[in-house]
PDB file of all heavy atoms in Angstrom:
ATOM      1  N   TRP A  85      95.771  79.230  91.662  1.00 88.00           N
ATOM      2  CA  TRP A  85      94.850  80.201  91.083  1.00 88.00           C
ATOM      3  C   TRP A  85      93.876  80.633  92.131  1.00 88.00           C
ATOM      4  O   TRP A  85      93.526  81.916  92.236  1.00 88.00           O
ATOM      5  CB  TRP A  85      94.081  79.732  89.862  1.00 88.00           C
ATOM      6  CG  TRP A  85      94.893  79.615  88.617  1.00 88.00           C
ATOM      7  CD1 TRP A  85      95.268  78.539  87.940  1.00 88.00           C
ATOM      8  CD2 TRP A  85      95.536  80.724  87.901  1.00 88.00           C
ATOM      9  NE1 TRP A  85      95.982  78.788  86.895  1.00 88.00           N
ATOM     10  CE2 TRP A  85      96.185  80.270  86.849  1.00 88.00           C
ATOM     11  CE3 TRP A  85      95.519  82.006  88.153  1.00 88.00           C
ATOM     12  CZ2 TRP A  85      96.887  80.899  85.814  1.00 88.00           C
ATOM     13  CZ3 TRP A  85      96.187  82.865  87.169  1.00 88.00           C
ATOM     14  CH2 TRP A  85      96.897  82.240  86.048  1.00 88.00           C
ATOM     15  N   SER A  86      93.296  79.731  92.904  1.00 91.00           N
ATOM     16  CA  SER A  86      92.355  80.088  93.969  1.00 91.00           C
ATOM     17  C   SER A  86      92.932  80.877  94.979  1.00 91.00           C
ATOM     18  O   SER A  86      92.338  81.794  95.470  1.00 91.00           O
ATOM     19  CB  SER A  86      91.831  78.806  94.605  1.00 91.00           C
ATOM     20  OG  SER A  86      91.032  78.040  93.737  1.00 91.00           O
ATOM     21  N   GLN A  87      94.222  80.622  95.388  1.00 90.00           N
ATOM     22  CA  GLN A  87      94.867  81.348  96.328  1.00 90.00           C
ATOM     23  C   GLN A  87      95.134  82.810  95.883  1.00 90.00           C
ATOM     24  O   GLN A  87      94.988  83.862  96.631  1.00 90.00           O
ATOM     25  CB  GLN A  87      96.218  80.828  96.820  1.00 90.00           C
ATOM     26  CG  GLN A  87      96.166  79.656  97.625  1.00 90.00           C
ATOM     27  CD  GLN A  87      97.448  79.093  98.166  1.00 90.00           C
ATOM     28  OE1 GLN A  87      98.460  79.696  97.844  1.00 90.00           O
ATOM     29  NE2 GLN A  87      97.460  77.964  98.703  1.00 90.00           N
ATOM     30  N   ALA A  88      95.489  82.949  94.583  1.00 90.00           N
ATOM     31  CA  ALA A  88      95.824  84.316  93.982  1.00 90.00           C
ATOM     32  C   ALA A  88      94.484  84.979  94.008  1.00 90.00           C
ATOM     33  O   ALA A  88      94.356  86.246  94.394  1.00 90.00           O
ATOM     34  CB  ALA A  88      96.440  84.125  92.710  1.00 90.00           C
ATOM     35  N   ALA A  89      93.444  84.406  93.512  1.00 92.00           N
ATOM     36  CA  ALA A  89      92.028  85.094  93.478  1.00 92.00           C
ATOM     37  C   ALA A  89      91.602  85.515  94.898  1.00 92.00           C
ATOM     38  O   ALA A  89      91.057  86.656  95.003  1.00 92.00           O
ATOM     39  CB  ALA A  89      90.990  84.195  92.807  1.00 92.00           C
ATOM     40  N   SER A  90      91.803  84.677  95.864  1.00 93.00           N
ATOM     41  CA  SER A  90      91.489  85.030  97.157  1.00 93.00           C
ATOM     42  C   SER A  90      92.271  86.204  97.722  1.00 93.00           C
ATOM     43  O   SER A  90      91.678  87.125  98.356  1.00 93.00           O
ATOM     44  CB  SER A  90      91.800  83.853  98.107  1.00 93.00           C
ATOM     45  OG  SER A  90      91.556  84.241  99.459  1.00 93.00           O
ATOM     46  N   ALA A  91      93.583  86.316  97.304  1.00 93.00           N
ATOM     47  CA  ALA A  91      94.326  87.432  97.742  1.00 93.00           C
ATOM     48  C   ALA A  91      93.842  88.814  97.144  1.00 93.00           C
ATOM     49  O   ALA A  91      93.718  89.774  97.869  1.00 93.00           O
ATOM     50  CB  ALA A  91      95.796  87.093  97.375  1.00 93.00           C
ATOM     51  N   VAL A  92      93.610  88.848  95.935  1.00 92.00           N
ATOM     52  CA  VAL A  92      93.195  89.980  95.263  1.00 92.00           C
ATOM     53  C   VAL A  92      91.709  90.403  95.653  1.00 92.00           C
ATOM     54  O   VAL A  92      91.401  91.578  95.429  1.00 92.00           O
ATOM     55  CB  VAL A  92      93.380  90.004  93.719  1.00 92.00           C
ATOM     56  CG1 VAL A  92      94.806  89.936  93.295  1.00 92.00           C
ATOM     57  CG2 VAL A  92      92.563  88.968  93.046  1.00 92.00           C
ATOM     58  N   ALA A  93      90.986  89.437  96.136  1.00 94.00           N
ATOM     59  CA  ALA A  93      89.644  89.731  96.589  1.00 94.00           C
ATOM     60  C   ALA A  93      89.553  90.414  97.947  1.00 94.00           C
ATOM     61  O   ALA A  93      88.575  91.019  98.335  1.00 94.00           O
ATOM     62  CB  ALA A  93      88.799  88.560  96.657  1.00 94.00           C
ATOM     63  N   GLN A  94      90.773  90.444  98.610  1.00 93.00           N
ATOM     64  CA  GLN A  94      90.868  91.046  99.957  1.00 93.00           C
ATOM     65  C   GLN A  94      90.712  92.578  99.827  1.00 93.00           C
ATOM     66  O   GLN A  94      91.166  93.172  98.765  1.00 93.00           O
ATOM     67  CB  GLN A  94      92.291  90.787 100.539  1.00 93.00           C
ATOM     68  CG  GLN A  94      92.517  89.322 100.846  1.00 93.00           C
ATOM     69  CD  GLN A  94      91.987  88.962 102.162  1.00 93.00           C
ATOM     70  OE1 GLN A  94      92.004  89.753 103.142  1.00 93.00           O
ATOM     71  NE2 GLN A  94      91.436  87.742 102.325  1.00 93.00           N
ATOM     72  N   PRO A  95      90.277  93.218 100.864  1.00 96.00           N
ATOM     73  CA  PRO A  95      90.322  94.810 100.766  1.00 96.00           C
ATOM     74  C   PRO A  95      91.784  95.211 100.524  1.00 96.00           C
ATOM     75  O   PRO A  95      92.695  94.602 101.187  1.00 96.00           O
ATOM     76  CB  PRO A  95      89.779  95.158 102.211  1.00 96.00           C
ATOM     77  CG  PRO A  95      89.041  94.035 102.674  1.00 96.00           C
ATOM     78  CD  PRO A  95      89.702  92.746 101.987  1.00 96.00           C
ATOM     79  N   SER A  96      92.014  96.231  99.870  1.00 96.00           N
ATOM     80  CA  SER A  96      93.384  96.779  99.622  1.00 96.00           C
ATOM     81  C   SER A  96      93.932  97.205 100.943  1.00 96.00           C
ATOM     82  O   SER A  96      93.347  97.738 101.814  1.00 96.00           O
ATOM     83  CB  SER A  96      93.326  97.835  98.599  1.00 96.00           C
ATOM     84  OG  SER A  96      93.009  97.448  97.386  1.00 96.00           O
ATOM     85  N   LEU A  97      95.298  97.175 100.933  1.00 97.00           N
ATOM     86  CA  LEU A  97      96.096  97.635 101.949  1.00 97.00           C
ATOM     87  C   LEU A  97      96.036  99.279 101.855  1.00 97.00           C
ATOM     88  O   LEU A  97      96.140  99.706 100.737  1.00 97.00           O
ATOM     89  CB  LEU A  97      97.539  97.128 102.051  1.00 97.00           C
ATOM     90  CG  LEU A  97      97.658  95.669 102.029  1.00 97.00           C
ATOM     91  CD1 LEU A  97      99.070  95.289 101.796  1.00 97.00           C
ATOM     92  CD2 LEU A  97      97.267  95.113 103.429  1.00 97.00           C
ATOM     93  N   ASN A  98      95.968  99.940 102.908  1.00 97.00           N
ATOM     94  CA  ASN A  98      96.094 101.382 102.789  1.00 97.00           C
ATOM     95  C   ASN A  98      97.589 101.818 102.762  1.00 97.00           C
ATOM     96  O   ASN A  98      98.521 101.106 102.923  1.00 97.00           O
ATOM     97  CB  ASN A  98      95.343 102.110 104.020  1.00 97.00           C
ATOM     98  CG  ASN A  98      95.975 101.748 105.351  1.00 97.00           C
ATOM     99  OD1 ASN A  98      97.102 101.507 105.575  1.00 97.00           O
ATOM    100  ND2 ASN A  98      95.112 101.786 106.358  1.00 97.00           N
ATOM    101  N   ALA A  99      97.664 103.135 102.409  1.00 96.00           N
ATOM    102  CA  ALA A  99      99.072 103.683 102.211  1.00 96.00           C
ATOM    103  C   ALA A  99      99.931 103.536 103.491  1.00 96.00           C
ATOM    104  O   ALA A  99     101.126 103.200 103.411  1.00 96.00           O
ATOM    105  CB  ALA A  99      99.039 105.197 101.849  1.00 96.00           C
ATOM    106  N   ALA A 100      99.371 103.780 104.685  1.00 97.00           N
ATOM    107  CA  ALA A 100     100.124 103.620 105.944  1.00 97.00           C
ATOM    108  C   ALA A 100     100.659 102.192 105.963  1.00 97.00           C
ATOM    109  O   ALA A 100     101.829 101.954 106.417  1.00 97.00           O
ATOM    110  CB  ALA A 100      99.275 103.982 107.101  1.00 97.00           C
ATOM    111  N   LYS A 101      99.832 101.244 105.693  1.00 97.00           N
ATOM    112  CA  LYS A 101     100.305  99.791 105.862  1.00 97.00           C
ATOM    113  C   LYS A 101     101.484  99.577 104.772  1.00 97.00           C
ATOM    114  O   LYS A 101     102.428  98.903 105.000  1.00 97.00           O
ATOM    115  CB  LYS A 101      99.182  98.881 105.675  1.00 97.00           C
ATOM    116  CG  LYS A 101      99.554  97.318 105.711  1.00 97.00           C
ATOM    117  CD  LYS A 101     100.243  96.972 106.954  1.00 97.00           C
ATOM    118  CE  LYS A 101      99.286  96.719 108.108  1.00 97.00           C
ATOM    119  NZ  LYS A 101      99.947  96.128 109.379  1.00 97.00           N
ATOM    120  N   LEU A 102     101.237  99.996 103.530  1.00 96.00           N
ATOM    121  CA  LEU A 102     102.310  99.849 102.497  1.00 96.00           C
ATOM    122  C   LEU A 102     103.583 100.535 102.937  1.00 96.00           C
ATOM    123  O   LEU A 102     104.721 100.011 102.742  1.00 96.00           O
ATOM    124  CB  LEU A 102     101.824 100.324 101.254  1.00 96.00           C
ATOM    125  CG  LEU A 102     100.753  99.474 100.439  1.00 96.00           C
ATOM    126  CD1 LEU A 102     100.151 100.195  99.316  1.00 96.00           C
ATOM    127  CD2 LEU A 102     101.406  98.150 100.053  1.00 96.00           C
ATOM    128  N   TRP A 103     103.541 101.693 103.612  1.00 96.00           N
ATOM    129  CA  TRP A 103     104.724 102.380 104.012  1.00 96.00           C
ATOM    130  C   TRP A 103     105.393 101.582 105.107  1.00 96.00           C
ATOM    131  O   TRP A 103     106.584 101.380 105.167  1.00 96.00           O
ATOM    132  CB  TRP A 103     104.431 103.735 104.598  1.00 96.00           C
ATOM    133  CG  TRP A 103     104.313 104.779 103.526  1.00 96.00           C
ATOM    134  CD1 TRP A 103     103.331 105.552 103.222  1.00 96.00           C
ATOM    135  CD2 TRP A 103     105.408 105.226 102.675  1.00 96.00           C
ATOM    136  NE1 TRP A 103     103.630 106.510 102.228  1.00 96.00           N
ATOM    137  CE2 TRP A 103     104.902 106.325 101.894  1.00 96.00           C
ATOM    138  CE3 TRP A 103     106.711 104.834 102.476  1.00 96.00           C
ATOM    139  CZ2 TRP A 103     105.721 106.880 100.860  1.00 96.00           C
ATOM    140  CZ3 TRP A 103     107.435 105.476 101.435  1.00 96.00           C
ATOM    141  CH2 TRP A 103     107.010 106.535 100.738  1.00 96.00           C
ATOM    142  N   GLU A 104     104.617 100.925 105.946  1.00 96.00           N
ATOM    143  CA  GLU A 104     105.097 100.191 107.158  1.00 96.00           C
ATOM    144  C   GLU A 104     105.855  98.949 106.494  1.00 96.00           C
ATOM    145  O   GLU A 104     106.897  98.601 106.926  1.00 96.00           O
ATOM    146  CB  GLU A 104     103.986  99.657 108.092  1.00 96.00           C
ATOM    147  CG  GLU A 104     104.477  98.822 109.217  1.00 96.00           C
ATOM    148  CD  GLU A 104     103.230  98.339 110.044  1.00 96.00           C
ATOM    149  OE1 GLU A 104     102.037  98.481 109.700  1.00 96.00           O
ATOM    150  OE2 GLU A 104     103.649  97.760 111.039  1.00 96.00           O
ATOM    151  N   ILE A 105     105.281  98.331 105.553  1.00 95.00           N
ATOM    152  CA  ILE A 105     105.803  97.041 104.883  1.00 95.00           C
ATOM    153  C   ILE A 105     107.085  97.459 104.249  1.00 95.00           C
ATOM    154  O   ILE A 105     108.201  96.822 104.401  1.00 95.00           O
ATOM    155  CB  ILE A 105     104.916  96.489 103.852  1.00 95.00           C
ATOM    156  CG1 ILE A 105     103.656  95.937 104.648  1.00 95.00           C
ATOM    157  CG2 ILE A 105     105.531  95.392 103.134  1.00 95.00           C
ATOM    158  CD1 ILE A 105     102.415  95.661 103.758  1.00 95.00           C
ATOM    159  N   THR A 106     107.187  98.629 103.471  1.00 93.00           N
ATOM    160  CA  THR A 106     108.318  98.982 102.754  1.00 93.00           C
ATOM    161  C   THR A 106     109.401  99.328 103.765  1.00 93.00           C
ATOM    162  O   THR A 106     110.626  99.025 103.591  1.00 93.00           O
ATOM    163  CB  THR A 106     108.219 100.071 101.764  1.00 93.00           C
ATOM    164  OG1 THR A 106     107.643 101.260 102.330  1.00 93.00           O
ATOM    165  CG2 THR A 106     107.223  99.624 100.629  1.00 93.00           C
ATOM    166  N   GLY A 107     109.081  99.895 104.855  1.00 92.00           N
ATOM    167  CA  GLY A 107     109.987 100.301 105.850  1.00 92.00           C
ATOM    168  C   GLY A 107     110.666  99.039 106.613  1.00 92.00           C
ATOM    169  O   GLY A 107     111.826  99.042 106.730  1.00 92.00           O
ATOM    170  N   VAL A 108     109.817  98.035 106.778  1.00 92.00           N
ATOM    171  CA  VAL A 108     110.395  96.835 107.366  1.00 92.00           C
ATOM    172  C   VAL A 108     111.392  96.165 106.393  1.00 92.00           C
ATOM    173  O   VAL A 108     112.443  95.707 106.792  1.00 92.00           O
ATOM    174  CB  VAL A 108     109.121  95.846 107.743  1.00 92.00           C
ATOM    175  CG1 VAL A 108     109.705  94.393 108.086  1.00 92.00           C
ATOM    176  CG2 VAL A 108     108.492  96.356 108.935  1.00 92.00           C
ATOM    177  N   LEU A 109     110.977  96.180 105.180  1.00 89.00           N
ATOM    178  CA  LEU A 109     111.836  95.449 104.153  1.00 89.00           C
ATOM    179  C   LEU A 109     113.069  96.224 103.872  1.00 89.00           C
ATOM    180  O   LEU A 109     114.081  95.604 103.452  1.00 89.00           O
ATOM    181  CB  LEU A 109     110.975  95.252 102.799  1.00 89.00           C
ATOM    182  CG  LEU A 109     109.898  94.237 103.056  1.00 89.00           C
ATOM    183  CD1 LEU A 109     109.058  94.153 101.669  1.00 89.00           C
ATOM    184  CD2 LEU A 109     110.419  92.801 103.373  1.00 89.00           C
ATOM    185  N   ALA A 110     113.048  97.513 104.147  1.00 86.00           N
ATOM    186  CA  ALA A 110     114.198  98.433 103.761  1.00 86.00           C
ATOM    187  C   ALA A 110     115.255  98.424 104.930  1.00 86.00           C
ATOM    188  O   ALA A 110     116.390  98.661 104.740  1.00 86.00           O
ATOM    189  CB  ALA A 110     113.868  99.793 103.473  1.00 86.00           C
ATOM    190  N   SER A 111     114.744  98.070 106.151  1.00 79.00           N
ATOM    191  CA  SER A 111     115.658  98.166 107.347  1.00 79.00           C
ATOM    192  C   SER A 111     116.678  96.895 107.214  1.00 79.00           C
ATOM    193  O   SER A 111     116.355  95.776 106.814  1.00 79.00           O
ATOM    194  CB  SER A 111     114.863  98.055 108.609  1.00 79.00           C
ATOM    195  OG  SER A 111     114.147  96.874 108.775  1.00 79.00           O
ATOM    196  N   PRO A 112     117.830  97.182 107.704  1.00 70.00           N
ATOM    197  CA  PRO A 112     118.914  96.092 107.680  1.00 70.00           C
ATOM    198  C   PRO A 112     118.648  94.926 108.609  1.00 70.00           C
ATOM    199  O   PRO A 112     117.956  94.920 109.563  1.00 70.00           O
ATOM    200  CB  PRO A 112     120.189  96.806 108.106  1.00 70.00           C
ATOM    201  CG  PRO A 112     119.755  98.159 108.686  1.00 70.00           C
ATOM    202  CD  PRO A 112     118.344  98.465 108.317  1.00 70.00           C
TER     203      PRO A 112
END
Side-chain angles (χ1 to χ4, degrees):
W85 286 114
S86 294
Q87 286 184 9
S90 174
V92 296
Q94 295 276 321
S96 292
L97 303 172
N98 62 31
K101 179 56 81 171
L102 286 170
W103 277 120
E104 180 182 8
I105 294 161
T106 59
V108 166
L109 294 173
S111 63

